[in-house]
Each structure stands twice: as structure tokens, then as C-alpha cells.
Amino acid sequence: MLVFDSGVGGLSVLAEIRRKLPDAPVVYCADNGGFPYGTKTEAELSARVPALLGRLVERFDPELVVIACNTACTIALSQVRAVLNVPVVGTVPAVKPAAAISKSRVIGVLGTNATVRQAYVDNLVAEFARDCLVLRHGSAELVVLAERKLRGQPTSPEEYRAVLDGLLSQPGAERLDTIVLACTHFPLVKDELAAVAPRPFNWVDSGEGIARRVAHLCEGVEWEGEPSGLAVFTRADEDVHFLTSALHSYGLDRVVTL
Ligand code: DGL
């Protein structure tokens, strides 16, 4: 299967998939040539993501594609599905499970700038969290912090605190009890966020739900000849080698450039 994101965020989803399907062959693609997605326009992402996934499917011929990126999915999931002839599992903000567990009925959605402004999120709120106050905060900084962490570079508690403040300083946030990590990069730094949080929160992301869906779609699939353990980058960046050990810990031991 092909697991796709703009960067390392999709590894948080891959970890959940591996828990359910430890032996499934995986090609992980990070579109570092297009990173970051969260500060791009809808038009840029609609032009880039379906075309790139088309090339990747042609090259690697996967049984299944997992778009492990909220930004790409809230903008371009239907366009991607229209051009690919394989099943596509998407990632959308986990508003539904968050609304199911929030007691205070005040929920935070932490995503990229592009994700939190999408009508897709308005629709999720209208459908599943109509009785909740839903506060949103878009953070490009937190994406970069996750990228730095996986490269083994230092990050500081103040940087995480500043991101959280963007959500918690909004009116009504004093009653907030649940935070949706609506970018796949963010579960990678959940411990760091929790460590600077002023009180305990429920942290909710989509990883486990996606893995369940993937496992269901993969029932009975014969993985014949699919490459595995491969990390594909769309641009030959010299700093990719800082990711070698992180990639290794997710079972990705070969790195290639598309
Ligand atoms: N990991 C991505 C997401 O889930 C986007 C990060 C970025 O490139 O800005 O939204």
C-alpha cells in the first residue's frame, strides 16, 4: 500500500496501520518538494496532489492508497478518488470521536491553517458536534516542530506552549476538555503538547480509525510483488538523511527520490 503525506506526519498513521497489519508491504511517500501543505492555497493543492498521486500509483502499483494528510484530504480527496483506480482511504479531522467524549461540550481543533478554514470542517461540526463550541487554531509552527523532532533536532517547551496558547487564549476555551489533532504531524508531538498543557485534555486523532478502515479493506488481499519498506521523497533534500533513523523505526529502510 502507499501511504502519503507532505512530510513525516503520515508516519503517525503508519504506526497505527502497522499495529493492525504488521506484515503489509508499505511504500511511504513524503512530498517534501511540496512541503508544507498547510500554508498553500486550495488551488495549489488541487493542482498538485491528484497529479502527484497519479504518478505514484503508476510507479508503485499499490493495492490501496492512504492519504495520511488532513490538509490534502479536506481539499482534494474527491478529486484524488476521481483520478485513481485503486481504493483511497483519506484522513479527516476526528471531530466525531471528539464530540462523543467531550463532557464540557467545548472542543479544540488544532490543524494546519489550510485545514481549519475548510468547509469540510464546518460540515463535520454541523453533522457531529452541533451542540459543541468548536474552537479552531491553525499552526504551521507545530508542523515544523514535528519535522524537527523526527530529525533529532531540539525543540523547546516554549514553542509548544505558544501553539497551545493559540487555541486556549480564545473565548470559551476555559471549559475546553478535548483537542482534535487535525494534522497527522501533531500526534508525533502529543507528549510534548501534553507536557506544557495547563490541565489534562482528551487528545483525539484519526490514526486508529484509519488503520481500522485499512485493515478492513485489506482483508483477503494478496500482496504480490509490491515493494515494501521504501520511503519516497519528491525532492532530493540533503537534510533527508537526518530522518534515516526515524524512518527506520517505522520499518522504512530504503530511501529513494521520485
Ligand atoms: N500532515 C499534514 C496534515 O495532516 C500537513 C502538514 C503540512 O504540510 O502543512 O494536514
Side-chain angles (χ1 to χ4, degrees):
M1 78 181 77
L2 178 76
V3 180
F4 176 84
D5 182 36
S6 60
V8 297
L11 296 174
S12 70
V13 176
L14 176 56
E16 298 291 341
I17 294 173
R18 287 242 191 261
R19 235 192 283 278
K20 297 219 185 312
L21 297 171
D23 301 322
V26 170
V27 173
Y28 183 84
C29 178
D31 181 15
N32 60 327
F35 175 89
Y37 280 5
T39 53
K40 293 207 161 35
T41 64
E42 287 71 4
E44 286 173 300
L45 292 171
S46 299
R48 184 176 185 90
V49 174
L52 176 55
L53 279 162
R55 276 175 69 199
L56 288 162
V57 166
E58 215 172 319
R59 166 99 177 252
F60 297 106
D61 195 22
E63 292 283 340
L64 178 86
V65 171
V66 182
I67 307 182
C69 177
N70 293 263
T71 311
C73 289
T74 54
I75 292 172
L77 182 58
S78 53
Q79 296 167 67
V80 171
R81 286 201 167 121
V83 297
L84 298 187
N85 55 359
V86 289
V88 179
V89 178
T91 305
V92 296
V95 170
K96 185 182 177 182
I101 59 169
S102 171
K103 289 200 164 39
S104 69
R105 312 315 282 159
V106 182
I107 293 170
V109 175
L110 206 52
T112 64
N113 297 289
T115 295
V116 298
R117 69 169 178 255
Q118 293 311 309
Y120 203 116
V121 179
D122 303 339
N123 295 340
L124 287 172
V125 170
E127 194 170 349
F128 302 113
R130 204 187 301 251
D131 65 329
C132 296
L133 171 63
V134 180
L135 305 176
R136 305 180 194 189
H137 179 61
S139 175
E141 296 77 15
L142 196 52
V143 175
V144 172
L145 288 170
E147 291 280 335
R148 276 171 39 203
K149 177 183 170 183
L150 266 70
R151 283 170 175 74
Q153 296 160 355
T155 58
S156 72
E158 291 70 38
E159 292 174 290
Y160 295 102
R161 197 171 291 123
V163 173
L164 218 45
D165 278 353
L167 194 59
L168 300 180
S169 61
Q170 295 182 29
E174 39 321 317
R175 290 195 303 118
L176 186 149
D177 68 353
T178 301
I179 297 180
V180 180
L181 298 174
C183 167
T184 53
H185 279 72
F186 299 171
L188 300 171
V189 290
K190 184 166 79 177
D191 291 348
E192 287 80 354
L193 288 169
V196 299
R199 56 185 190 275
F201 294 112
N202 304 312
W203 303 91
V204 183
D205 65 69
S206 325
E208 218 248 313
I210 295 167
R212 230 180 300 125
R213 177 82 190 128
V214 168
H216 175 71
L217 289 172
C218 290
E219 268 166 33
V221 166
E222 310 266 342
W223 304 100
E224 272 170 47
E226 274 201 35
S228 190
L230 193 61
V232 181
F233 288 81
T234 57
R235 185 173 65 199
D237 265 349
E238 35 202 67
D239 87 332
V240 162
H241 78 266
F242 291 120
L243 287 172
T244 309
S245 81
L247 293 170
H248 218 91
S249 66
Y250 290 87
L252 303 168
D253 40 31
R254 282 175 306 140
V255 176
V256 299
T257 305
L258 187 66

